């Protein structure tokens, strides 16, 4: 096994204080989870796959707000063995399990989110609105593939907003940006928009209200995300058109009530 491969599988014990912060705030930004060399090793292949698979070719000025926010390519692990090794990292999956407090996690899907130079903001939103899953035991690892200072558009969280129950029926849009911005300001939720250094990784819950500023830099903001779910989570009846699409794309169209253990949902970490 390569050095990079070995590091990807090395156990990371999440400090009890970080587990508590994750539960209280709905996210945690952890410094130095991966070595800069490891991230630099995988970045070129992830970027090559994003360029190869990207289907968005309109100029930024001709796109809507959501499409200006990033190029989005899902389940890269199916297209490259190198990316698969990254997405299947036992280190990251083990951290997800520790944060969720569950004995095993499966992959829901991965997703590259590349905010182009000059790309727009990502509107405030919550993720679980899109997912036909039986519980909220889900967590996204957001892994920047370069240093991400304020001008590149670091992921930004409203701390404690996952407990508010607000915004759960809002689709990501100019409307979600306006409504949730007003909600977050009125509620006095602390905002964490701190930069990420290479190797930092954040984890957020499915109901945490989050956004990202536009990319004012002159390089793309390259980010890989991995979405994990409790291995015991079940498929739920889709309640909107996005959930119908996810149900078919990621959950093998399995009936509501069955464990979400389709061919695209491998077990990535188990305590056994
Ligand atoms: O990367 C971004 O700009 C948004 C990411 C996001 O919303 C997510 O990973 O849930």
């Amino acid at each position: 096994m390569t050095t990079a491969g070995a590091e990807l599988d090395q156990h990371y014990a999440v400090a009890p204080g970080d587990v508590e912060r994750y539960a209280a705030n709905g996210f945690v930004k952890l410094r130095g989870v991966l070595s800069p060399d490891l991230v630099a090793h995988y970045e070129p292949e992830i970027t090559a796959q994003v360029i190869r698979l990207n289907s968005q070719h309109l100029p930024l000025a001709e796109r809507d707000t959501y499409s200006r926010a990033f190029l989005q390519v899902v389940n890269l692990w199916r297209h490259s063995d190198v990316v698969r090794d990254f997405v299947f990292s036992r280190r990251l999956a083990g951290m997800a399990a520790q944060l969720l407090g569950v004995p095993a996690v499966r992959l829901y899907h991965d997703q590259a989110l590349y905010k182009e130079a000059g790309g727009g903001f990502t509107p405030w939103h919550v993720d679980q609105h899109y997912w036909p899953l039986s519980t909220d035991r889900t967590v996204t690892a957001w892994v920047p593939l370069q240093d991400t200072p304020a001008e590149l558009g670091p992921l930004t969280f409203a701390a404690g907003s996952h407990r508010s129950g607000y915004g759960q029926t809002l689709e990501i849009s100019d409307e979600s940006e306006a409504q949730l911005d007003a909600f977050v300001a009125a509620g006095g939720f602390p905002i964490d928009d701190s930069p990420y250094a290479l190797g930092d990784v954040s984890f957020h819950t499915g109901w945490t209200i989050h956004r990202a500023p536009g990319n004012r830099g002159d390089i793309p903001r390259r980010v890989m995300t991995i979405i994990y779910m409790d291995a015991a989570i079940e498929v739920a009846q889709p309640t909107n058109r996005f959930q119908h699409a996810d149900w078919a794309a990621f959950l093998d169209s399995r009936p509501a009530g069955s464990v979400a253990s389709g061919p695209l949902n491998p077990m990535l970490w188990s305590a056994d």
Side-chain angles (χ1 to χ4, degrees), residues 70 113 115 122 125 127 140 142 155 204 210 212 221 225:
F70 38 66
L113 298 171
K115 199 181 278 295
T122 308
H125 68 285
D127 299 333
T140 298
W142 197 85
L155 199 59
H204 64 273
H210 58 289
R221 186 215 66 181
T225 68

Side-chain angles (χ1 to χ4, degrees), residues 7-8 11 29 35 39 53 55 83 94 108 121 134 150 166-167 170 181 193 207 212 214 226 243 272:
E7 185 187 330
L8 275 180
H11 183 68
K29 280 188 187 178
S35 70
V39 185
L53 297 165
S55 59
V83 182
Y108 184 37
F121 66 95
S134 60
Y166 195 79
L170 282 177
D181 201 53
D193 59 359
W207 291 128
I226 306 166
Q243 292 193 9
D272 300 337

Side-chain angles (χ1 to χ4, degrees), residues 17-109:
D18 288 329
V19 177
E20 279 163 27
R21 258 195 300 284
Y22 173 81
N25 294 336
F27 74 94
V28 67
K29 280 188 187 178
L30 296 174
R31 309 297 171 192
V33 168
L34 302 171
S35 70
D37 282 353
L38 176 126
V39 185
H41 174 83
Y42 285 95
E43 181 277 323
E45 174 65 5
I46 296 172
T47 297
Q49 293 299 331
V50 169
I51 291 168
R52 193 172 76 79
L53 297 165
N54 169 50
S55 59
Q56 173 59 266
H57 300 294
L58 281 178
L60 279 163
E62 291 174 29
R63 300 187 211 158
D64 65 10
T65 298
Y66 182 71
S67 314
R68 272 198 296 273
F70 38 66
L71 304 177
Q72 179 176 19
V73 182
V74 300
N75 272 347
L76 294 175
W77 71 273
R78 300 181 68 197
H79 300 277
S80 157
D81 287 344
V82 174
V83 182
R84 182 183 188 281
D85 287 348
F86 189 82
V87 170
F88 282 36
S89 161
R90 288 178 48 76
R91 184 180 186 83
L92 294 174
M95 294 174 76
Q98 291 171 71
L99 291 167
L100 289 173
V102 298
V105 293
R106 292 180 186 280
L107 178 66
Y108 184 37
H109 60 87

Side-chain angles (χ1 to χ4, degrees), residues 83-228:
V83 182
R84 182 183 188 281
D85 287 348
F86 189 82
V87 170
F88 282 36
S89 161
R90 288 178 48 76
R91 184 180 186 83
L92 294 174
M95 294 174 76
Q98 291 171 71
L99 291 167
L100 289 173
V102 298
V105 293
R106 292 180 186 280
L107 178 66
Y108 184 37
H109 60 87
D110 73 49
Q111 169 160 278
L113 298 171
Y114 276 41
K115 199 181 278 295
E116 298 142 280
F121 66 95
T122 308
W124 286 117
H125 68 285
V126 297
D127 299 333
Q128 196 128 351
H129 172 66
Y130 293 88
W131 303 340
L133 297 170
S134 60
T135 74
D136 59 4
R137 276 179 226 118
T138 59
V139 58
T140 298
W142 197 85
V143 188
L145 305 177
Q146 72 291 301
D147 285 340
T148 309
E151 61 268 23
L152 286 196
L155 199 59
T156 298
F157 303 99
S161 58
H162 62 309
R163 296 187 191 279
S164 70
Y166 195 79
Q168 299 191 348
T169 57
L170 282 177
E171 155 188 348
I172 184 169
S173 61
D174 288 320
E175 192 189 334
S176 72
E177 173 72 3
Q179 281 199 31
L180 292 174
D181 201 53
F183 175 73
V184 162
F189 295 96
I191 305 299
D192 184 337
D193 59 359
S194 57
Y196 293 67
L198 191 60
D200 295 351
V201 177
S202 66
F203 293 83
H204 64 273
T205 83
W207 291 128
T208 306
I209 300 176
H210 58 289
R211 78 185 295 279
N215 183 353
R216 294 179 278 111
D218 52 14
I219 58 165
R221 186 215 66 181
R222 291 153 285 156
V223 169
M224 187 63 178
T225 68
I226 306 166
I227 302 162
Y228 304 92

